[in-house]
Amino acid sequence: MRHGKKVNHLGRKAAHRKSMLANMACSLIEHKRINTTVAKAKALKQFVEPLITKSKTENNQTVEKGTHNRRIVFKSLRDKYAVTELFGSVAEKVADRPGGYTRIIKLGNRLGDNADMAMIELVDFNEIYNAGKPKKQKTTRRGRSKKSDDATAVVEETAKAEAPKVEEPKADKKADDAKE
């Protein structure tokens, strides 16, 4: 039975596991995607997503909060470049996403030891996968979104424009031919 076992130890001591996850998180932030085993990818997802949430701009509106969050993230990552990248371009891209910043894609088995391999990537940095999908409008559960009023006005305008036009009845063809 696995009662209360939330941490996958990955066959390593605590210090080695923390160092490995910090290094993998820095590589993920720097390269935006990395290949690893499925177990390590799942552990990395749990490690890096709270750090990305701390980097979002809405959490860092004041200088004090921003500095505090940078120090908390630096304590986990231990890499200045990764922290700068995370609070810069990554935070800018994930600003409107309410969680789920990473995606795990299974790749198959490794040739040497038949281990399950996966690619973990930051969702917002894959332009190929997101190219065909339009950006979703943000709505609240409290009521109608602000965009819905504009959308109904646009629908009404298009309905008027697409309404069949009534043609005026022509007089005799003979009269038209005579004019020519």
Side-chain angles (χ1 to χ4, degrees):
M1 285 187 257
R2 53 180 311 276
H3 294 303
K5 288 189 174 183
K6 291 186 178 181
V7 176
N8 186 353
H9 296 291
L10 301 172
R12 290 161 172 79
K13 303 277 181 163
H16 185 188
R17 185 173 56 252
K18 287 177 187 173
S19 295
M20 182 189 66
L21 288 174
N23 290 334
M24 289 173 66
C26 291
S27 296
L28 178 65
I29 291 166
E30 183 181 347
H31 301 293
K32 311 306 184 241
R33 73 175 55 137
I34 57 172
N35 291 337
T36 183
T37 63
V38 173
K40 287 181 190 173
K42 289 179 179 179
L44 179 61
K45 184 172 189 158
Q46 289 180 342
F47 180 82
V48 80
E49 290 211 358
L51 301 180
I52 295 173
T53 302
K54 289 208 180 302
S55 74
K56 288 170 69 170
T57 54
E58 64 205 28
N59 297 335
N60 302 313
Q61 290 176 347
T62 63
V63 175
E64 294 84 21
K65 285 184 180 178
T67 305
H68 182 64
N69 284 334
R70 278 179 183 266
R71 287 177 177 165
I72 290 172
V73 170
F74 183 77
K75 185 175 74 171
S76 299
L77 292 182
R78 291 171 280 176
D79 184 7
K80 278 186 194 177
Y81 176 74
V83 173
T84 305
E85 181 80 13
L86 179 63
F87 278 77
S89 64
V90 175
E92 183 181 313
K93 281 259 192 169
V94 301
D96 58 338
R97 182 175 290 277
Y101 312 111
T102 57
R103 175 187 299 132
I104 296 174
I105 300 170
K106 295 185 180 179
L107 300 175
N109 296 340
R110 187 161 52 196
L111 287 177
D113 59 355
N114 208 30
D116 284 337
M117 296 300 288
M119 177 177 65
I120 183 168
E121 65 181 1
L122 295 174
V123 172
D124 292 309
F125 287 90
N126 188 344
E127 280 78 24
I128 297 168
Y129 189 80
N130 298 333
K133 297 182 182 178
K135 202 164 191 180
K136 216 175 186 182
Q137 293 293 331
K138 191 172 185 180
T139 59
T140 59
R141 301 181 104 190
R142 287 174 264 154
R144 291 178 24 179
S145 70
K146 294 176 184 174
K147 296 287 182 183
S148 65
D149 296 333
D150 298 335
T152 55
V154 169
V155 168
E156 290 171 1
E157 288 176 16
T158 55
K160 288 178 186 175
E162 294 176 359
K165 295 180 181 176
V166 179
E167 294 182 17
E168 297 177 13
K170 290 185 178 181
D172 294 287
K173 276 192 165 186
K174 293 177 186 176
D176 291 336
D177 292 337
K179 289 180 184 178
E180 293 175 4

